[in-house]
Amino acid sequence: DFRFDPMAPLSPWRIVDARGSVDLTFSPEGRKLQRTGFGPYRLDYFQAFGRYRGTMMDAAGSRHRVDDLWGVAEHGEGRN
């Protein structure tokens, strides 16, 4: 489950799963934005880059801390 505010995409994102294996906060520090339209079709897409923090559990059930791991997250929405 990815939770973020599309009106404020540079605010922190929450990333969790139903089993409790993933519990991360993604803190964006910048983004790439693309808006494309052709006739009635439109695509809004952005890719944020920043740092992940939180915990992840491996298959054996051991928790691992994630601190300031650089990465990306993206969101796209198409309309027709």
Side-chain angles (χ1 to χ4, degrees):
D1 184 30
F2 282 74
R3 288 180 249 148
F4 74 102
D5 181 354
M7 300 305 290
L10 293 180
S11 62
W13 300 28
R14 289 287 297 142
I15 303 157
V16 296
D17 74 339
R19 296 182 327 187
S21 299
V22 177
D23 184 2
L24 297 171
T25 299
F26 175 67
S27 299
E29 297 190 17
R31 72 176 178 162
K32 172 185 171 184
L33 176 64
Q34 180 177 345
R35 289 195 169 122
T36 305
F38 180 74
Y41 305 103
R42 191 171 111 186
L43 173 65
D44 291 331
Y45 167 84
F46 68 85
Q47 182 182 56
F49 61 91
R51 299 174 194 228
Y52 286 91
R53 293 180 184 95
T55 60
M56 297 183 75
M57 187 173 12
D58 64 25
S62 298
R63 288 209 173 272
H64 303 277
R65 186 94 190 126
V66 175
D67 286 314
D68 293 329
L69 178 66
W70 284 98
V72 297
E74 56 188 30
H75 175 74
E77 188 172 317
R79 296 184 189 96
N80 58 12

